Amino acid sequence: MSAATTRSRTPRTPAPDRLCAEAVDLAREAAEEAAAPGIVGAHVGTVAEGDRVVTHLFECEQFGYRGWRWAVTVTRASRAKAVTLDETVLLPGPDALLAPEWVPWSERLRPGDMGPGDLLPTEADDLRLEPGYSGDDAPPPDSAVSDEMAELVDAEDAEFVSRTPSRGSIAAVAEELGMRRARVLSRYGLHTAADRWEESFGAKTPMAQAAPAACLSCGFLVPLGGSLKQAFGLCANEFSPADGRVVSLTYGCGGHSEAAVMPKPPRPAPPVLDSLGTDAFPLRPARDSGSVPATSQDEASEDLGHS
C-alpha cells in the first residue's frame, strides 16, 4: 500500500477558516446576548467544523456550570468576506460538572422517602410477599378479571384492579372467613425486615452498647404477634429514641423502666425538740408568783389608764 493511498483513506481535518477564526468579537457578542451579563468568560479556543465553519469556545462563569463552555458557530459563504452567525449553545467541556446518570425510581427509592399522599406500587412477583391463603387460582392483584375486560381496559386507556373475587373461588372463601389479605409476608420478607430493624435498633448500636439493660426486661416494651415476637417488640416510652419503633429484644436505652427506679423520698424522724407547738401564757402575772409586788386590782387599773 502506497503512502498516497494511506493519506487518501485518512479523514482530513479541515483547517480553520482565517476570516471565521478571526471573528472572536462577533462570537463573543452573540454569546453575551444569549447569556446573562458577566457569564461569558475568556476565549479558550476554536474548532473547525467544516469548510468555512468555525466554532468559538468561551468559558462559562455561571455558578453550577463548572467546566461548561459557550460554543458559538460562525460561517461565511464561498468567496464572501462577511462572517455570519450560525448558532450559540452551552456545551459541557472535558472537565464539566454533569448530572449523574439517570437511575429508575425503583432503584432510587430508599426507606423514609415516601411522604403523605405518595403511592408505592408493589410488583405481583415481589419476593417479600406470598399468598395469604392456599391456592393458585386467584388472579394477581393488578390483573384484569377476564380477556374481555382487558380489551376494554386497553380501549378505554384506563386502569382496573379486581377487588371482588369470583364466587366459588378460594379468594372468595378466604374473604368470607375474614382472611382479606391476598398476600402476606414471606419468609424472605420477614428476614429482610428483621435485618433492617436489627441494624437500626439492635444490640450492636451505640445506644444499646451503653444501655443499663435490654428491652426484654423493660416495662415499656409492647410485644408483637406471630414469629417476630421472639426477637422484636414495640417501644412505648415517649422519652426513648426508639419511641413508636420496632426494636430488638436485645436493644436498650437509658429509658429502661427498671434500670433507674426513682427512690421514695426519705421519711424524717420525729423531732427531739418540738418547735411547732405553742405554750399558753397569762396576760398578767399570778399574784402568788413573787415576780411582781402585790397590788390591788384598782391600782393596776389606774396604772393601765383605765377608770
Side-chain angles (χ1 to χ4, degrees):
M1 184 179 295
S2 63
T5 305
T6 305
R7 288 194 300 269
S8 62
R9 292 185 178 181
T10 303
R12 184 178 65 90
T13 302
D17 183 75
R18 182 180 62 84
L19 295 179
C20 292
E22 293 176 353
V24 178
D25 296 338
L26 175 63
R28 177 179 291 276
E29 182 179 353
E32 291 178 349
E33 183 179 355
I39 299 301
V40 182
H43 184 266
V44 295
T46 57
V47 178
E49 306 288 354
D51 296 336
R52 298 179 300 277
V53 180
V54 174
T55 298
H56 293 268
L57 302 176
F58 300 90
E59 292 182 353
C60 180
E61 302 293 342
Q62 187 173 0
F63 293 105
Y65 286 84
R66 185 185 64 192
W68 287 65
R69 302 178 298 187
W70 288 100
V72 181
T73 304
V74 295
T75 184
R76 68 181 182 90
S78 178
R79 298 182 181 180
K81 296 184 179 180
V83 179
T84 59
L85 178 66
D86 192 355
E87 63 177 354
T88 303
V89 293
L90 182 62
L91 298 177
D95 300 330
L97 180 63
L98 301 177
E101 185 179 357
W102 181 81
V103 180
W105 69 266
S106 58
E107 301 179 12
R108 296 196 310 266
L109 192 64
R110 293 294 180 267
D113 290 347
M114 293 187 61
D118 296 339
L119 297 178
L120 179 61
T122 305
E123 298 181 1
D125 55 350
D126 197 321
L127 296 177
R128 300 170 299 174
L129 301 173
E130 64 182 5
Y133 43 83
S134 61
D136 299 327
D137 60 341
D142 297 332
S143 64
V145 295
S146 62
D147 296 337
E148 293 78 6
M149 184 61 68
E151 296 177 359
L152 179 60
V153 168
D154 295 338
E156 297 292 338
D157 192 18
E159 295 183 359
F160 178 80
V161 178
S162 176
R163 298 186 181 275
T164 304
S166 58
R167 180 179 297 274
S169 63
I170 296 182
V173 176
E175 183 172 358
E176 184 176 355
L177 295 177
M179 303 171 61
R180 298 181 180 274
R181 294 189 298 167
R183 292 186 292 177
V184 295
L185 277 176
S186 62
R187 185 173 298 274
Y188 172 77
L190 290 174
H191 280 296
T192 55
D195 291 341
R196 292 195 309 271
W197 298 339
E198 185 70 28
E199 182 180 358
S200 301
F201 298 97
K204 296 182 180 180
T205 58
M207 180 66 71
Q209 294 290 334
C215 294
L216 179 61
S217 59
C218 182
F220 294 106
L221 183 72
V222 179
L224 298 180
S227 59
L228 289 176
K229 67 179 180 180
Q230 302 176 8
F232 297 96
L234 183 68
C235 179
N237 187 354
E238 60 178 327
F239 300 107
S240 173
D243 180 37
R245 305 293 187 89
V246 177
V247 297
S248 173
L249 298 182
T250 57
Y251 181 74
C253 68
H256 194 282
S257 62
E258 310 301 329
V261 180
M262 293 294 294
K264 295 183 179 179
R267 186 174 182 178
V272 179
L273 178 63
D274 187 5
S275 59
L276 300 179
T278 59
D279 296 331
F281 293 95
L283 296 178
R284 296 182 178 87
R287 295 181 179 273
D288 55 350
S289 62
S291 59
V292 293
T295 57
S296 63
Q297 185 176 0
D298 296 338
E299 293 178 356
S301 299
E302 292 178 359
D303 295 339
L304 295 175
H306 296 286
S307 59

